[in-house]
Amino acid sequence: MIIGVPKEIKNHEYRVGLTPSSVYELVEQGHTVWIEKNAGLGIGFTDEDYSHVGAKIASNATSIFDCADMIVKVKEPQSTERALLRENQILFTYLHLAPDRTQTLDLIQSNAICIAYETVTDQQGGLPLLAPMSEVAGRMSIQAGAQALEKSNGGKGLLLGGVPGVEAANVVIIGAGVVGRNALQMAVGLGANVVIIDKNIQALRLIDGLYANKVKTIYSNQSNIEKYCLVADLVIGAVLIPGAAAPKLVSEALIKRMQPGSAVVDVAIDQGGCFATSKATTHSDPMFKVHDIVHYCVANMPGALAKTATVALNNATLPYILTIANQGYKTALRENPHLCNGLNIYRGQVTNQSVALALGLTFTPAGDAIVKAIGV
């Protein structure tokens, strides 16, 4: 199979779809890999590093899209990239389609096979290709929140952990999944007063067992969200419904009532955000204020820690890339139900139910679409 890796073009996005070590594995198994010139340069992977392991270097993205059977990326394709997609071409990347009608319609029009990292599952019901970036984003959210609380950024001017004789900041984390647990680890490590809120009692029990009286675990309902947001200095939005738009758990009315200079970090912004006042921002202009509350809503947070994030992501994605390349997409999707759960758009059909529901589009089960395509 011919695999193409274009350079990411989203604002301040330095991650790359394949590392040189991943390219080596693919080439050793007989595949051809094209890398766009300087695709990995921002994190120290030179064209020579890729050439040394057998990759071919293309001068531009158009050349990559023209020759590749499968495009491997990190972030969702931008409009110029979507225009380059071909019928029956495989796209394997993060997509986050539920809040993005324009992208979804473009991918439908392309007749490509679009597999989203964030909805691939594993035998335990987890999201193995989302998890590494959730780990990075969760840990980074506390760093971002600490910056948002600085007075120069419009915050209260608080140090999360305080100092001797000065009380630590109050941090509320909404969601006890991978993002929430990693944010929790960082916040506790810095000495903040931490509350974590979730509906999953078992998840809260596990956290209580690990942290005991260092963390307050609270069942998620509107009353409790309101109670703890009103006394919070920093709120981390870490909720996820796989493939679906994020629920708006914090209303604009509640944002208005929060303490002036408090901060919110919306890690769910890729799926539309869980604060009613959120809007996607970029690393070049990451923060804004609404009702005197500082918002950090960068849609590609791990891009700021691009080398760590790229290597962590490749560790997770490479086995799936090899499966698709070695077996072909039809066999791979038919025989691996967890990979098939990642199929969001299949040759003009929406094959993820959450995406279809969020956007009011017709849903075709992935299995039905594949069976029809191969005529069995």
Side-chain angles (χ1 to χ4, degrees):
M1 183 176 283
I2 300 173
I3 299 158
V5 180
K7 184 176 181 179
E8 297 292 326
I9 58 175
K10 192 163 186 170
N11 179 274
H12 283 281
E13 181 55 74
Y14 303 105
R15 288 174 289 179
V16 61
L18 291 174
T19 63
S21 62
S22 294
V23 170
Y24 180 80
E25 295 290 331
L26 287 159
V27 171
E28 283 293 294
Q29 296 196 33
H31 304 291
T32 299
V33 181
W34 282 89
I35 304 287
E36 186 178 351
K37 182 179 179 181
N38 295 332
L41 192 60
I43 52 173
F45 297 138
T46 66
D47 292 344
E48 290 73 22
D49 292 331
Y50 284 107
S51 297
H52 181 69
V53 295
K56 301 178 184 297
I57 306 301
S59 60
N60 54 60
T62 300
S63 299
I64 295 284
F65 280 85
D66 281 349
C67 74
D69 302 308
M70 174 164 60
I71 298 294
V72 175
K73 283 177 43 62
V74 177
K75 288 305 294 176
E76 71 279 0
Q78 304 301 291
S79 58
T80 55
E81 295 172 309
R82 298 196 296 268
L84 297 173
L85 281 168
R86 304 193 320 270
E87 184 174 358
N88 291 327
Q89 193 169 48
I90 306 160
L91 173 66
F92 196 31
T93 189
Y94 288 115
L95 292 175
H96 301 292
L97 295 178
D100 193 342
R101 173 175 287 273
T102 300
Q103 183 195 177
T104 304
L105 295 178
D106 285 350
L107 294 182
I108 291 170
Q109 184 68 29
S110 74
N111 281 312
I113 296 94
C114 305
I115 306 172
Y117 293 160
E118 71 272 10
T119 60
V120 173
T121 57
D122 60 23
Q123 292 180 340
Q124 292 73 44
L127 302 171
L129 306 191
L130 185 62
M133 296 305 93
S134 295
E135 290 166 347
V136 173
R139 296 184 184 204
M140 184 184 170
S141 69
I142 299 301
Q143 296 178 199
Q147 289 183 320
L149 283 173
E150 293 175 7
K151 196 65 180 176
S152 59
N153 290 318
K156 288 183 174 181
L158 290 178
L159 184 66
L160 283 181
V163 293
V166 180
E167 188 173 356
N170 295 320
V171 175
V172 173
I173 301 168
I174 304 175
V178 178
V179 170
R181 293 195 304 272
N182 278 271
L184 174 66
Q185 181 180 341
M186 296 295 285
V188 170
L190 288 171
N193 299 318
V194 186
V195 172
I196 188 162
I197 301 175
D198 200 284
K199 286 183 177 293
N200 187 331
I201 295 295
Q202 185 58 30
L204 296 180
R205 286 197 181 105
L206 289 172
I207 290 168
D208 185 69
L210 286 170
Y211 294 96
N213 58 1
K214 290 183 180 179
V215 173
K216 186 177 290 186
T217 57
I218 300 296
Y219 183 76
S220 180
N221 57 41
Q222 282 304 120
S223 176
N224 283 334
I225 289 172
E226 178 175 326
K227 174 182 176 179
Y228 287 99
C229 283
L230 289 176
V231 296
D233 301 305
L234 170 63
V235 182
I236 307 295
V239 300
L240 173 70
I241 300 174
K248 304 296 185 187
L249 296 182
V250 178
S251 67
E252 183 170 0
L254 180 52
I255 289 286
K256 283 183 180 180
R257 296 172 60 202
M258 287 176 62
Q259 298 172 22
S262 297
V264 299
V265 176
D266 199 340
V267 189
I269 193 65
D270 277 322
Q271 295 294 133
C274 61
F275 300 95
T277 46
S278 291
K279 62 179 182 180
T281 60
T282 66
H283 287 293
S284 61
D285 189 16
M287 301 181 204
F288 61 93
K289 294 185 80 172
V290 177
H291 304 307
D292 213 21
I293 304 301
V294 183
H295 290 58
Y296 181 101
C297 304
V298 174
N300 60 326
M301 286 178 63
L305 306 170
K307 189 155 192 176
T308 296
T310 293
V311 175
L313 180 60
N314 267 236
N315 290 342
T317 57
L318 180 60
Y320 295 90
I321 295 168
L322 284 167
T323 295
I324 296 168
N326 290 339
Q327 297 182 1
Y329 76 84
K330 291 179 182 177
T331 299
L333 291 170
R334 189 175 69 247
E335 295 186 356
N336 187 332
H338 299 294
L339 179 61
C340 193
N341 285 337
L343 188 65
N344 279 213
I345 305 289
Y346 188 86
R347 295 166 63 174
Q349 302 165 87
V350 179
T351 53
N352 181 284
Q353 189 170 25
S354 294
V355 171
L357 286 172
L359 298 176
L361 299 171
T362 301
F363 166 62
T364 301
D368 293 352
I370 296 165
V371 166
K372 182 177 180 182
I374 63 179
V376 296

